[in-house]
């Protein structure tokens, strides 16, 4: 039993320092991807920065320059540069 306690302690420390933060980061990334909207300025894992022009099921049409649009897979979006505000209808 005495040799099992240090092993359990190491597993517990690994969980709180490595596994749990990684799971929280993955959850936040998934939520960010689900909340993407047309007009959001995004950055992809490949380094492209552009504005979302069209959203399909699992891919986005991103405008990287005027009249230059590329298609990217949703999961390759690394982060948001700026978020558009929802339109206020009166």
């Amino acid at each position: 039993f005495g040799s099992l306690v240090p092993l359990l302690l190491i597993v517990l420390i690994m969980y709180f320092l490595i596994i749990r933060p990684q799971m929280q980061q993955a959850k936040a990334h998934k939520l960010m991807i689900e909340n993407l909207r047309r007009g959001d300025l995004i950055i992809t894992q490949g380094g492209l920065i552009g504005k979302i022009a069209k959203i399909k099921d699992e891919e986005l049409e991103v405008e990287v320059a005027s009249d230059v649009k590329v298609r990217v897979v949703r999961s390759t979006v690394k982060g948001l540069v700026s978020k558009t505000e929802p339109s206020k209808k009166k």
Side-chain angles (χ1 to χ4, degrees), residues 16-69:
F16 281 107
L17 291 180
I18 297 173
I19 298 169
R20 189 166 177 253
Q22 187 176 6
M23 288 178 7
Q24 289 176 338
Q25 188 178 24
K27 185 177 178 182
H29 184 258
K30 182 180 178 193
L31 183 65
M32 184 264 307
I33 287 176
E34 289 174 354
N35 291 327
L36 289 175
R37 289 191 297 212
R38 208 175 104 216
D40 289 349
L41 195 60
I42 60 168
I43 185 167
T44 66
Q45 290 177 354
L48 287 175
I49 298 175
K51 187 182 289 190
I52 298 175
K54 190 186 289 185
I55 298 177
K56 296 181 183 174
D57 291 331
E58 283 301 314
E59 65 181 48
L60 307 168
E61 191 171 286
V62 179
E63 185 173 359
V64 293
S66 60
D67 296 330
V68 179
K69 295 180 182 174

Side-chain angles (χ1 to χ4, degrees), residues 37-38 84-90:
R37 289 191 297 212
R38 208 175 104 216
T84 58
E85 294 298 320
S87 61
K88 296 178 182 177
K89 295 183 180 182
K90 294 181 180 182

